[in-house]
């Protein structure tokens, strides 16, 4: 091996080592909040309020896990959050994909004005629609129901915009071949177009699931005073009241409620990376 080749190999190896070291340090920094949450969940009340730092609780309170899991309110909140996240995310992705395909591929003189309206909606702060949405939900009698939690979030302009831009770059030859075989727009979409969108749609699905699971303000308002539509985030807020601060129960419940989100993320992370990298198929 020549001297120049060896020098280039050493530079590449040195650069790779530096990147791995930097990435590892950043990963440790991002893991600090998770470490603090798990540590607090297993600490005693005295250790939580102690001014002396300890790396790990001297007597981990593992008994808090069955205590939280035995609470029917926590299990109901998990169920409601799971239903809201899965149903709202899957339907919103499907609706956005259909709308994006229609704006990008179906000839229509209203397609461009409709797309401009989507862009205008993106420029409007989401909080401005909070009160109108609440009035509509209340008038329909959906306060305290899962319908009130799910349906208003099914129509997202951001996802429609992303799908439209994705389908604009989709090769027309594939679509034309389906039309030659006699397929209409719906058949072409579900049998040809959407299957090729799965990596991109999966990335949006991961982000949508996490966002729906962590939603707090809208479920807090729509759930009302009852327990039938309370989500995990509403349940966690019950540990902090004007009179009491149950940090032990709060952090343990938060840790347990984080497990489904982490499982979804680790299962779909490769789709998330592929979806972010995807900008459309090349013909």
């Amino acid at each position: 091996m020549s001297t120049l080749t060896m020098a280039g190999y050493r530079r590449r190896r040195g650069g790779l080592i530096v990147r791995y070291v930097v990435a590892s340090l950043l990963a440790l920094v991002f893991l600090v909040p998770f470490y603090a949450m798990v540590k607090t969940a297993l600490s005693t009340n005295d250790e939580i309020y102690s001014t002396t730092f300890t790396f790990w609780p001297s007597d981990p309170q593992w008994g808090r896990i069955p205590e939280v899991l035995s609470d029917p309110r926590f299990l109901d909140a998990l169920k409601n959050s799971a239903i809201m996240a899965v149903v709202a995310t899957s339907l919103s992705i499907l609706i956005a994909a259909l709308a994006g395909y229609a704006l990008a591929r179906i000839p229509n003189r209203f397609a461009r004005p409709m797309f401009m309206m989507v862009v205008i909606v993106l420029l409007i702060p989401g909080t401005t629609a909070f009160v109108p949405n609440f009035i509509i939900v209340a008038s329909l009698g959906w306060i305290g129901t899962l319908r009130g939690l799910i349906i208003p979030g099914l129509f997202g302009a951001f996802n429609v915009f992303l799908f439209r831009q994705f389908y604009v770059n989709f090769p027309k030859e594939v679509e034309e071949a389906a039309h030659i075989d006699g397929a209409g727009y719906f058949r072409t979409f579900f049998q040809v177009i959407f299957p090729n969108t799965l990596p991109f749609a999966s990335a949006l699905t991961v982000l949508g699931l996490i966002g729906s699971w962590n939603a707090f303000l809208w479920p807090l308002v729509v759930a009302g005073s009852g327990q039938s539509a309370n989500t995990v985030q509403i349940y966690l807020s019950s540990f902090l009241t004007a009179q009491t601060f149950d940090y032990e129960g709060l952090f343990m419940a938060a840790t347990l409620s984080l497990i489904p989100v982490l499982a979804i993320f680790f299962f779909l992370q490769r789709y998330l990376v592929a979806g972010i990298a995807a900008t459309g198929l090349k013909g």
Side-chain angles (χ1 to χ4, degrees):
M1 185 177 294
S2 65
T3 304
L4 291 177
T5 304
M6 283 294 297
Y9 171 75
R10 289 173 180 173
R11 283 196 299 270
R12 288 195 298 271
R13 186 176 63 176
L16 185 62
I17 293 174
V18 170
R19 287 196 293 270
Y20 272 108
V21 170
V22 173
S24 300
L25 292 176
L26 291 175
L28 289 175
V29 171
F30 285 113
L31 287 175
V32 168
F34 297 101
Y35 154 75
M37 181 175 63
V38 175
K39 175 192 170 185
T40 306
L42 297 174
S43 299
T44 62
N45 192 52
D46 293 336
E47 289 175 326
I48 292 175
Y49 289 100
S50 176
T51 57
T52 304
F53 174 79
T54 55
F55 182 77
W56 192 250
S58 58
D59 183 20
Q61 304 297 303
W62 300 106
R64 289 191 189 133
I65 297 178
E67 289 179 6
V68 174
L69 293 178
S70 62
D71 188 352
R73 296 182 304 145
F74 179 68
L75 299 180
D76 289 340
L78 281 178
K79 181 188 69 175
N80 292 336
S81 289
I83 293 174
M84 183 184 72
V86 173
V87 175
T89 302
S90 57
L91 289 180
S92 64
I93 292 297
L94 178 60
I95 292 172
L98 286 169
Y101 175 69
L103 292 175
R105 289 299 200 216
I106 299 180
N108 193 313
R109 62 192 180 95
F110 297 106
R112 186 172 182 82
M114 289 294 294
F115 178 66
M116 295 306 299
M117 291 180 62
V118 171
V119 175
I120 292 173
V121 171
L122 289 175
L123 301 177
I124 301 175
T127 52
T128 59
F130 191 89
V131 174
N133 284 338
F134 177 78
I135 294 174
I136 295 173
V137 169
S139 64
L140 293 174
W142 290 352
I143 297 297
T145 65
L146 289 176
R147 287 174 297 175
L149 292 176
I150 295 172
I151 294 179
L154 295 183
F155 312 98
F158 182 67
N159 287 346
V160 174
F161 174 81
L162 292 180
F163 272 109
R164 190 264 182 187
Q165 297 304 105
F166 183 89
Y167 290 134
V168 164
N169 296 323
F170 195 88
K172 293 183 178 180
E173 293 80 6
V174 177
E175 188 177 2
E176 291 171 353
H179 290 322
I180 292 174
D181 290 339
Y185 284 113
F186 275 99
R187 183 181 170 188
T188 300
F189 175 80
F190 285 107
Q191 293 187 358
V192 179
I193 305 298
F194 193 69
N196 287 288
T197 321
L198 288 180
F200 178 74
S202 298
L204 295 180
T205 300
V206 174
L207 299 177
L209 285 172
I210 295 175
S212 297
W213 188 271
N214 292 330
F216 176 73
L217 185 57
W218 181 252
L220 177 65
V221 174
V222 175
S225 58
Q227 300 290 332
S228 59
N230 277 354
T231 61
V232 166
Q233 306 306 323
I234 307 303
Y235 174 80
L236 294 179
S237 67
S238 65
F239 287 94
L240 301 177
T241 66
Q243 293 79 26
T244 59
F245 299 89
D246 185 5
Y247 289 115
E248 308 98 287
L250 171 63
F251 280 92
M252 178 55 70
T255 301
L256 294 176
S257 67
L258 190 63
I259 294 176
V261 179
L262 291 177
I264 292 172
F265 177 78
F266 283 117
F267 179 73
L268 297 176
Q269 62 175 332
R270 64 190 183 96
Y271 297 106
L272 177 62
V273 176
I276 294 175
T279 57
L281 299 177
K282 302 300 180 182

